[in-house]
Amino acid sequence: MAGENRSPTVFTPSSMSELLELRRSKPQATLWAGGTGLMSRYYPYPYPLSRDIISLKHVPEMTRINRTERYLDIGAAATLERVLTVGHHILPPVLAKALRSVGPPTITNQATIGGNLCIPDLRLNLAAVLSLFNVQLELKGDLKHRLQTRWIPLIRLYRRDGKLMLQGTEVLTRVRIYFEEGNFQLFQQIGFPYQHPEEAVLFTVFANHGQDSVVDYRAAATFPSVGVFRDRDVESSVTSKALPLNHQEIRQTSRLLRRTLQEYSTRVSPIQLARTVRAFERSLILLNTKSVSR
Amino acid sequence: MKIQFTLNGRQEVLHISSDVPLLQLLTEYSGISSIRPGCDRGRCGNCVVLVNDLPLLSCLVPAFDIRGRQIVTFERFSQTRDFTEIQKGFTQADALPCSFCFASKSMLTHGIISGNTSPQPEEILQAFSLNACTCLEPSRIVQGVQQAGTLRGRRRRHGRRK
């Protein structure tokens, strides 16, 4: 097979300007960060759709991680293992759990944060959890024939149908995560997002509660083949409720979630719907338990 | 494409398609026999090699990505003191992996105890979660890795004292 195909041309830019120039001159080239996603999906060779590959690993800005008092700045091609190491003790536990859920170190030593967010047709472990925080993404690229940099919140990276919303030849270059504290955090992976994207759900909650009430409740779910779901109405139906929530309140809010999910997309499969509602109910029961045990 | 890298301490230069997986490069072009090709898609975990001392699945690394990097396979790793410790640790814990997965399991263990000589069971099981061979019970793997970690820690402390 190898002999039948021309070997892809690999470009390894060593600076951001070189990368952006290459991206402008070869808009069809595949951007290559860790490659775990591309290598495990296409056989026999990584990416038969494009004959040009731009490797991002040698651009220092793309792999740099900066830590300040207020936020963590992560180059999009930084490996997940490095994010876990540098962010040890400062990453919100729910985010650390989501990063670990991507795979064992044999994967996270290679997979990158940008890759996890930007696989064109799959939403993976980090999208939902990052959508709960104040996360800003730096995009650089050629907009209206000018090189531009813009910052967007994570949720604006995806269209409602889950597709990437990058414009022109834009590249995701940095992910900025502002620190926040939440006394109730939950991440749950149900099923296998990579192998069975139509069935898997990644559900996550970030909340703050006092002894008698929920102060702030945020929840999001990723349906790998559909997109990222977060609904303010569902969240506000829990926020400011008195704790512990009674059985009827839990049933009411989960009914609201079910309805909202059905309206969100017809591509959410029945099993994903059932799994999400169950995970949501479980999160409320755990929240009850935690508030009582404080 | 010309690929230059270090394989088991030896400089190698190959002219090869840039997107050939490292697994195939090692087994078909460099005569490495310790790697067990399985799923070819990062799911069976039996093709672990050390790339710049980090355990990676060789089926997920394309050839162009190893330029200038150091690859160590089990052929070389099994001659090191690091390996002897791991072997001893597993033997002491009465945990003997089968010959099919021994290479991958020992390099995964090396990856864990290089960073932390007292790993917690969850950390160990997470690292082994992609290793599909079921020749050992999870509890045995945990004991083997922890014992190997103890030996590695002891060596480090002795090394520091000297």
Side-chain angles (χ1 to χ4, degrees):
Chain A
M1 287 286 250
E4 292 166 23
N5 301 321
R6 175 173 73 82
S7 172
T9 308
V10 182
F11 299 92
T12 48
S14 55
S15 68
M16 187 60 81
S17 53
E18 206 183 324
L19 163 66
L20 296 175
E21 191 48 51
L22 266 169
R23 184 80 178 126
R24 181 157 49 180
S25 60
K26 302 194 177 301
Q28 299 304 320
T30 303
L31 293 177
W32 195 282
T36 47
L38 297 172
M39 288 293 281
S40 56
R41 293 179 79 194
Y42 298 99
Y43 191 80
Y45 293 110
Y47 209 63
L49 306 179
S50 169
R51 297 283 80 198
D52 292 321
I53 288 173
I54 301 176
S55 171
L56 305 174
K57 281 186 181 170
H58 302 277
V59 180
E61 291 98 315
M62 294 290 282
T63 54
R64 197 173 289 152
I65 301 181
N66 274 334
R67 193 175 136 169
T68 72
E69 271 179 25
R70 287 174 50 233
Y71 57 77
L72 191 64
D73 241 355
I74 306 166
T79 65
L80 302 182
E81 199 59 38
R82 267 196 68 222
V83 177
L84 278 165
T85 309
V86 177
H88 193 53
H89 296 310
I90 56 163
L91 284 176
V94 70
L95 180 55
K97 194 169 177 193
L99 285 163
R100 279 196 204 94
S101 75
V102 173
T106 40
I107 299 293
T108 51
N109 277 330
Q110 199 180 340
T112 65
I113 191 161
N116 196 284
L117 293 173
C118 290
I119 288 186
D121 55 341
L122 262 191
R123 303 281 67 87
L124 294 172
N125 305 44
L126 302 182
V129 70
L130 287 178
S131 76
L132 296 184
F133 294 98
N134 180 6
V135 171
Q136 295 286 318
L137 306 178
E138 184 193 54
L139 306 173
K140 283 181 190 274
D142 200 13
L143 283 176
K144 295 171 190 157
H145 308 295
R146 273 182 53 211
L147 279 178
Q148 284 191 8
T149 301
R150 63 184 182 122
W151 286 87
I152 59 164
L154 177 100
I155 209 75
R156 280 186 41 215
L157 183 65
Y158 307 118
R159 291 200 313 235
R160 198 175 158 79
D161 63 2
K163 298 279 183 294
L164 278 178
M165 221 160 44
L166 294 174
Q167 297 174 9
T169 55
E170 275 183 327
V171 184
L172 170 64
T173 50
R174 251 192 303 179
V175 178
R176 179 172 290 176
I177 304 167
Y178 288 89
F179 300 131
E180 276 181 272
E181 289 200 10
N183 55 11
F184 180 81
Q185 302 185 27
L186 176 95
F187 175 82
Q188 209 180 345
Q189 175 178 324
I190 313 160
F192 301 96
Y194 220 81
Q195 288 92 329
H196 306 292
E198 295 82 15
E199 294 175 5
V201 176
L202 300 133
F203 182 78
T204 182
V205 175
F206 181 86
N208 272 301
H209 66 90
Q211 202 150 10
D212 343 300
S213 65
V214 185
V215 182
D216 174 22
Y217 181 90
R218 304 174 211 168
T222 300
F223 306 106
S225 56
V226 183
V228 183
F229 169 84
R230 186 176 170 195
D231 187 83
R232 306 285 169 172
D233 290 340
V234 173
E235 289 178 355
S236 55
S237 72
V238 180
T239 301
S240 74
K241 278 254 159 65
L243 283 172
L245 300 161
N246 63 40
H247 183 62
Q248 205 179 350
E249 284 171 321
I250 294 176
R251 276 184 55 190
Q252 260 174 8
T253 47
S254 68
R255 243 184 263 135
L256 173 66
L257 173 71
R258 184 181 287 273
R259 247 196 337 268
T260 322
L261 271 173
Q262 282 164 338
E263 286 162 15
Y264 163 67
S265 173
T266 49
R267 290 189 296 138
V268 175
S269 66
I271 189 167
Q272 285 175 320
L273 185 70
R275 282 174 160 175
T276 312
V277 172
R278 194 61 194 266
F280 176 70
E281 286 174 353
R282 182 174 169 264
S283 78
L284 298 181
I285 292 165
L286 286 172
L287 191 60
N288 270 352
T289 315
K290 195 156 176 272
S291 72
V292 171
S293 63
R294 265 161 76 102
Chain B
M1 183 182 204
K2 184 180 167 189
I3 311 275
Q4 214 167 352
F5 62 104
T6 309
L7 175 61
N8 294 334
R10 211 178 55 237
Q11 280 289 328
E12 294 261 341
V13 180
L14 289 176
H15 291 272
I16 195 170
S17 177
S18 55
D19 57 351
V20 166
L22 174 61
L23 167 70
Q24 195 176 341
L25 183 153
L26 293 173
T27 51
E28 290 180 17
Y29 298 87
S30 295
I32 297 295
S33 57
S34 63
I35 300 177
R36 315 288 185 181
C39 66
D40 288 343
R41 294 189 185 204
R43 291 183 193 163
C44 73
N46 276 323
C47 61
V48 178
V49 294
L50 298 175
V51 179
N52 286 358
D53 213 36
L54 289 177
L56 295 183
L57 298 174
S58 58
C59 64
L60 295 187
V61 181
F64 72 81
D65 216 11
I66 60 160
R67 285 176 297 176
R69 297 171 91 181
Q70 305 214 6
I71 315 293
V72 173
T73 64
F74 189 66
E75 277 84 351
R76 168 77 174 229
F77 182 67
S78 60
Q79 295 164 3
T80 61
R81 199 166 164 190
D82 290 341
F83 170 74
T84 318
E85 257 161 20
I86 291 166
Q87 195 179 28
K88 204 168 161 188
F90 271 79
T91 312
Q92 284 175 0
D94 201 16
L96 298 168
C98 67
S99 58
F100 187 75
C101 69
F102 192 33
S104 287
K105 281 204 168 73
S106 55
M107 285 193 274
L108 282 176
T109 305
H110 173 72
I112 300 169
I113 63 176
S114 297
N116 176 10
T117 52
S118 316
Q120 294 301 303
E122 308 83 64
E123 192 185 333
I124 297 168
L125 295 175
Q126 158 80 351
F128 278 82
S129 60
L130 257 189
N131 191 265
C133 186
T134 53
C135 63
L136 278 182
E137 284 171 37
S139 59
R140 285 264 179 254
I141 295 176
V142 170
Q143 286 165 7
V145 176
Q146 285 180 331
Q147 188 58 29
T150 308
L151 296 174
R152 178 76 56 96
R154 208 174 288 163
R155 172 155 67 104
R156 277 189 194 161
R157 281 193 299 276
H158 283 302
R160 235 178 271 146
R161 250 179 252 155
K162 282 173 196 171

